Amino acid sequence: MIVYAFLIRLLSPILLLWILVEAVKRHGGLRFIQQRLGIAYPTFSNTAIPPTWIHCASVGEVNAIAPLVKALLPNQPIIITTHTPTGAKQCDHLFGSDVTHCYLPLDWTYAVKQFLKRLSPNCLWVVETEIWPNLYRLSHQAGLPIVLINARLSRKTLNSPQWLIQTYQQTLSLVDKVILRSPEEAEHFQQLGVPTERIQFIENLKYAMPVEPSQLDNPFANRLGDSEFVVAASTHEDEEAQLVAIWQRLNRPEPLVFVPRHPHRRDAILKRLAGHRSEIAVDSLGDPITSQTRYILMDKMGVLMPLYTHAKLVIMGGAFVPKGGHNLIEPASVKACIITGPDMSDFETETQQLLAHKAIKQLHNWRQLEQTLTELLDNPTIRQQMGQAAYDEVTSKSSVLSDYLDALRPFQTRKIQIK
């Protein structure tokens, strides 16, 4: 902890500059700056029922906890914190005024104390795993039970320098419960000193996400009518260019729809694909979809589910570059035929479960992708079989939400005590 405390003080000017840059870059506005610095929070101290505090890094984590939040509302006040403006927008999209969104303060003692005093939560649930030493220490001192939900540890975390490993161990010793999304993760948390009796396995919370009719209705999907298309979901840098090269060689009649993981990359993508600009329709620019359109760039949030529903095939991004892959459960829940790449390290258990049921295809490289696209795009029977197998695997996890509610119920009872 001593090294961490020294570093966070030393880096304070750089962190302040970073906050300002992020506010401009991500369009976070004044509230983003203020709350990241520990000011301008709403007050909950006078409410009859202390709020449950759920921390989500960004959009993916917000989506994951949606069924949990909706199960708790309206009887339980809820605060959701995120790091990013896109996470804030997703909170507003999913929950509106039913929850209170705040940006998580930087891990400065003063900023965290201000957050706790103003919002007076009765517990802290951290989605997946973010280890912030001052946040955990001060929350623990204030009497908040701390629970990690849908927890996992990356290889990068486990391979950290020894001083950082010791900091993680000291921080995780303050956690009351770790709810794993994969049984293989238990050993990782034990390596960082979490006692076995504090560890519990429940399937990935994302299995609890219901598919609502409103999610499947999207004006863009309606614009395509009955036209067939292929979705490249949550793509990262270089994936779009590689896919365009493959599409050019295959000369497929179906448009390829790109949904980049980070919509603000639009201009960078268009620059990289400048030679194909006449063939690209950009949704945010209102470009018309014509007979000449071969590629469609969807640079908006919240469009994947309707596209998954109607797509001929889904190519999962973030897996053909070293990003750990993205959520396979969403397309599987609408019977999509799914192809993914070699790096699914962030969804390893889910990938193996789907592979075991022949519900997806995981490929090693771009060359294999080209071959597999040729095989699948003209074989509706195999696509249908894969989609049905994926759907069956997802719907077999029907008890996830009730299991979570049972596991979390004991950790909503304590009163906060700010010192």
Side-chain angles (χ1 to χ4, degrees), residues 338-397:
I338 308 165
I339 297 175
T340 191
D343 186 6
M344 287 297 296
S345 54
D346 288 349
F347 292 85
E348 193 168 338
T349 298
E350 296 75 23
T351 301
Q352 293 306 315
Q353 290 172 343
L354 289 165
L355 284 170
H357 290 83
K358 299 182 179 179
I360 62 170
K361 286 189 179 291
Q362 185 176 26
L363 311 176
H364 297 294
N365 51 48
W366 294 110
R367 179 180 55 79
Q368 282 192 344
L369 174 61
E370 187 168 345
Q371 294 171 347
T372 302
L373 286 170
T374 302
E375 297 166 4
L376 288 179
L377 287 173
D378 294 323
N379 197 323
T381 301
I382 295 180
R383 293 200 309 273
Q384 184 178 9
Q385 290 172 346
M386 288 175 60
Q388 185 64 49
Y391 176 79
D392 291 344
E393 174 62 16
V394 168
T395 53
S396 71
K397 317 290 186 181

Side-chain angles (χ1 to χ4, degrees), residues 148 158 173 207:
L148 306 187
L158 295 169
S173 70
Y207 281 118

Side-chain angles (χ1 to χ4, degrees), residues 169-180:
Q169 290 172 335
Q170 293 171 10
T171 303
L172 289 175
S173 70
L174 306 176
V175 171
D176 295 82
K177 190 80 171 180
V178 176
I179 304 178
L180 308 175

Side-chain angles (χ1 to χ4, degrees), residues 263-301:
H264 66 267
R265 292 183 52 240
R266 181 194 70 186
D267 293 343
I269 293 170
L270 292 177
K271 184 177 180 180
R272 181 76 183 272
L273 302 178
H276 301 277
R277 184 63 182 92
S278 62
E279 300 175 301
I280 303 173
V282 182
D283 185 65
S284 66
L285 299 179
D287 293 346
I289 299 172
T290 70
S291 58
Q292 305 303 312
T293 302
R294 301 192 66 189
Y295 310 102
I296 300 167
L297 179 57
M298 288 298 298
D299 52 333
K300 293 180 180 177
M301 304 294 295

